[in-house]
């Protein structure tokens, strides 16, 4: 096991499905953060076999919708003064607004400009969401 020093303050994203850590890294725009960030991949996990983990050593405004969409089993640990002060378990968001596009080319949302396009969770297993306009199923990660 790699030894990474404990962080004093920040966020630790634990139990990320292995192989999705780098996708999260991009989607959460962690590449734009100036503070230390550690992405660990393929860590052995008793509950998951293998997992990814991200440590963000700063105050960071997490996009929980994106996080939930990409890695719904993530545990979010908030660290202050070296101790965990809060823990959150992610899940797939029931409703997603503004960040998904309908994949039906004939959908009104792809023809006209729509205000806030919302999608409702249709199938948690396949992470499929239903378009509010045409009922087509779309996933966030194509
Ligand atoms: Zn649609």
């Amino acid at each position: 096991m790699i030894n990474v020093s404990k962080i004093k303050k920040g966020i630790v994203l634990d139990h990320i499905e292995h192989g999705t850590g780098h996708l999260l890294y991009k989607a959460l725009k962690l590449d734009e953060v100036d503070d230390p960030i550690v992405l660990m991949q393929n860590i052995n996990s008793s509950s998951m076999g293998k997992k990814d983990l991200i440590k963000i050593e700063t105050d960071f405004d997490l996009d929980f919708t994106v996080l939930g969409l990409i890695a719904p089993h993530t545990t979010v640990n908030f660290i202050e003064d070296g101790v965990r002060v809060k823990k959150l378990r992610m899940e797939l968001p029931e409703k997603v607004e503004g960040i998904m596009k309908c994949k039906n080319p004939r959908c009104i949302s792809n023809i006209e400009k729509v205000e806030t396009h919302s999608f409702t969770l249709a199938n948690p297993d396949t992470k499929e969401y239903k378009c509010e306009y045409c009922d087509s199923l779309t996933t966030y990660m194509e």
Side-chain angles (χ1 to χ4, degrees), residues 102-104 107-110 117 119 131-136:
C102 184
K103 67 178 174 195
N104 171 9
C107 176
I108 184 81
S109 70
N110 287 321
H117 195 172
F119 290 82
C131 170
E132 66 174 317
Y133 297 107
C134 70
D135 289 349
S136 287

Side-chain angles (χ1 to χ4, degrees), residues 5-139:
S5 62
K6 279 193 173 174
I7 66 173
K8 283 254 178 326
K9 182 180 175 61
I11 303 165
V12 177
L13 304 177
D14 198 0
H15 303 110
I16 301 168
E17 291 92 331
H18 88 101
T20 52
H22 68 286
L23 299 172
L24 265 187
Y25 192 92
K26 266 198 99 118
L28 294 172
K29 301 198 167 71
L30 292 173
D31 49 341
E32 294 171 12
V33 175
D34 290 328
D35 294 291
I37 293 175
V38 181
L39 165 62
M40 293 170 78
Q41 298 186 95
N42 304 320
I43 305 167
N44 287 322
S45 157
S46 48
S47 59
M48 304 171 73
K50 277 185 184 339
K51 66 177 182 181
D52 292 354
L53 188 145
I54 296 176
K55 295 185 183 195
I56 307 165
E57 204 164 344
T58 184
D59 281 321
F60 182 73
D61 204 3
L62 267 185
D63 188 331
F64 289 107
T65 308
V66 169
L67 178 57
L69 276 170
I70 298 178
H73 302 298
T74 302
T75 315
V76 187
N77 301 286
F78 296 88
I79 316 289
E80 266 175 50
D81 297 323
V83 287
R84 184 170 70 197
V85 290
K86 200 165 91 178
K87 181 177 170 178
L88 278 182
R89 232 178 259 283
M90 295 309 303
E91 48 186 47
L92 275 176
E94 280 296 321
K95 203 171 172 182
V96 176
E97 284 182 334
I99 57 169
M100 284 173 74
K101 263 179 72 76
C102 184
K103 67 178 174 195
N104 171 9
R106 291 190 305 276
C107 176
I108 184 81
S109 70
N110 287 321
I111 298 162
E112 287 175 26
K113 200 141 180 64
V114 295
E115 284 283 308
T116 315
H117 195 172
S118 75
F119 290 82
T120 319
L121 183 59
N123 186 339
D125 295 328
T126 55
K127 298 186 185 176
E128 284 174 308
Y129 283 80
K130 196 166 77 176
C131 170
E132 66 174 317
Y133 297 107
C134 70
D135 289 349
S136 287
L137 296 178
T138 297
T139 54

